[in-house]
Amino acid sequence: MNFFEQTGKVAIGSRLRMLTDKVTEDGAQIYKLYNIDMQPKWFPVFYSLAQGEEKTITELARNIGHSHPSVSKIISEMLKKGYVKESKDKTDGRRNLVSLSKKGVEISKEIEDQLIDVNAAVEEISAQSQNKLWEAIGEWEFLLEQKSLLRRVMEKKKERDSLKVQIVDYKPEYQEAFRALNVEWISHYFTMEESDYKALDNPQGYILDRGGYIFVALYEGEPLGVCALIKMDDGEYDFELAKMAVSPKAQGKNVGFLLAGAVVEKAKSLGAAKIYLESNTILKPAINLYHKLGFQKVAGKPTPYTRCNIQMELVL
């Protein structure tokens, strides 16, 4: 076990597999001890059928948490042993029902003593251990149902990658990146419009000189995201969050959230009461991001963009 002491919890899959192999190997020997001709992997299907009701393979798979192909293979193997039988559903001829055969029913009676002894042995192990494995497995299964290990690792990766992201103020040297990043995403989903060119070709005059701000996200020194806070003078909104663009290379690194957060914090520091933005509902990640920041849908404001089909505001 020294290997697992060195690797720690990152090798949990390998360690669980070793434990599973050890228990399964003993399980095969236990069946022989009781003169039961059965493979350990059959047991969940066999036990489910032993409760007395005919079931389809789909129902069996759902009951025991296995895949349909896995259960189908087990049924085929048990059919060869004569432990189960198949029949057509009388109410729906397209469905095959599976049940224990006469031989299978006999086995279900013979296995009762084995189950009593196995249960007692597992209880003994539990009594001798400080940690209750059975309860822990149930807890892990529940928690992984709520959020998979893959999802959790993705979130940790995003957190770690976000530490490499630096949000800086716009400088003239970032004009090319500001334009290129916006043109890239707009052209991918929509068509560049006149208002786009005004802001992207002259960010100094169109945004900065009018009291606005532009932020740039640097990932390991490379500008991979931009976002603007444009001054508004319409009497209702102080600023517009606009021209947010993140390179596909920066996906999964929390760049959009960090950029938008910097924009909102800047607006707050300037005493703004409300921020406005325009977007399109096909940009689901962006819309989800705005909701996460607290933006709510509004309607009725004139827009210069034909691609805009949703307007949102954030009350600060």
Side-chain angles (χ1 to χ4, degrees):
M1 289 299 128
N2 185 52
F3 168 75
F4 294 108
E5 295 300 326
Q6 292 176 350
T7 61
K9 298 175 179 63
V10 297
I12 185 172
S14 297
R15 191 162 190 176
L16 287 173
R17 193 176 300 112
M18 286 180 62
L19 179 60
T20 299
D21 291 343
K22 185 185 295 292
V23 173
T24 301
E25 182 180 340
D26 278 352
Q29 297 301 316
I30 290 170
Y31 283 118
K32 291 181 180 180
L33 179 65
Y34 290 83
N35 298 313
I36 304 294
D37 186 11
M38 186 179 296
Q39 296 183 35
K41 67 177 181 179
W42 296 354
F43 181 73
V45 173
F46 183 86
Y47 186 85
S48 183
L49 291 175
Q51 305 314 301
E53 293 184 4
E54 295 179 311
K55 294 180 176 68
T56 64
I57 290 179
T58 299
E59 290 169 338
L60 283 167
R62 183 169 58 248
N63 287 350
I64 67 176
H66 286 200
S67 67
H68 189 284
S70 172
V71 173
S72 180
K73 183 179 179 181
I74 289 172
I75 292 297
S76 295
E77 293 172 352
M78 293 174 68
L79 278 168
K80 292 178 181 179
K81 282 289 183 181
Y83 289 177
V84 297
K85 59 183 179 179
E86 289 184 311
S87 61
K88 291 291 183 181
D89 188 342
K90 294 179 180 179
T91 60
D92 186 349
R94 296 169 299 178
R95 299 191 340 148
N96 283 339
L97 295 174
V98 182
S99 62
L100 290 184
S101 63
K102 182 180 179 180
K103 186 177 181 181
V105 172
E106 292 174 355
I107 293 293
S108 70
K109 295 176 181 178
E110 294 173 8
I111 206 173
E112 289 178 358
D113 288 344
Q114 175 184 328
L115 299 183
I116 291 172
D117 294 345
V118 169
N119 188 71
V122 173
E123 288 289 350
E124 181 180 81
I125 295 173
S126 295
Q128 294 174 355
S129 62
Q130 293 182 353
N131 302 297
K132 304 304 180 184
L133 178 62
W134 192 256
E135 290 84 351
I137 289 174
E139 291 176 344
W140 271 67
E141 288 173 340
F142 173 79
L143 292 171
L144 291 175
E145 277 293 320
Q146 310 310 304
K147 187 188 294 185
S148 71
L149 180 59
L150 172 61
R151 174 74 179 276
R152 292 168 190 268
V153 172
M154 289 172 66
E155 290 178 355
K156 296 304 178 185
K157 182 178 185 300
K158 180 180 288 188
E159 290 176 10
R160 184 169 50 81
D161 283 342
S162 68
L163 297 176
K164 302 177 184 178
V165 178
Q166 182 183 9
I167 306 300
V168 300
D169 292 329
Y170 175 86
K171 296 178 181 179
E173 64 193 75
Y174 297 130
Q175 180 174 352
E176 182 178 347
F178 180 64
R179 190 183 195 282
L181 288 168
N182 271 281
V183 169
E184 181 180 29
W185 85 260
I186 294 172
S187 300
H188 180 76
Y189 291 101
F190 310 103
T191 300
M192 289 284 291
E193 301 181 43
E194 182 180 352
S195 294
D196 292 314
Y197 289 110
K198 289 180 179 179
L200 299 179
D201 290 340
N202 184 22
Q204 183 68 45
Y206 192 83
I207 299 174
L208 301 177
D209 291 346
R210 296 182 180 184
Y213 300 84
I214 298 174
F215 295 92
V216 180
L218 303 178
Y219 181 75
E220 297 184 334
E222 182 182 1
L224 294 182
V226 292
C227 188
L229 186 64
I230 299 178
K231 180 69 175 173
M232 297 182 70
D233 298 307
D234 67 348
E236 183 177 4
Y237 297 103
D238 301 288
F239 291 98
E240 176 184 3
L241 187 158
K243 295 296 175 276
M244 177 183 281
V246 177
S247 170
K249 294 195 301 184
Q251 287 181 353
K253 303 187 188 307
N254 227 21
V255 171
F257 182 79
L258 293 173
L259 273 171
V263 167
V264 171
E265 288 303 313
K266 183 64 176 181
K268 286 181 180 179
S269 72
L270 295 169
K274 288 199 294 186
I275 303 175
Y276 171 79
L277 68 79
E278 297 180 339
S279 189
N280 190 290
T281 50
I282 69 169
L283 306 172
K284 292 183 180 180
I287 301 300
N288 290 336
L289 168 61
Y290 299 142
H291 279 301
K292 187 176 180 179
L293 289 168
F295 281 87
Q296 299 294 322
K297 183 179 178 181
V298 295
K301 191 172 182 63
T303 173
Y305 296 103
T306 58
R307 63 175 177 266
C308 170
N309 72 353
I310 184 172
Q311 299 167 317
M312 306 179 79
E313 69 174 17
L314 175 63
V315 179
L316 300 174

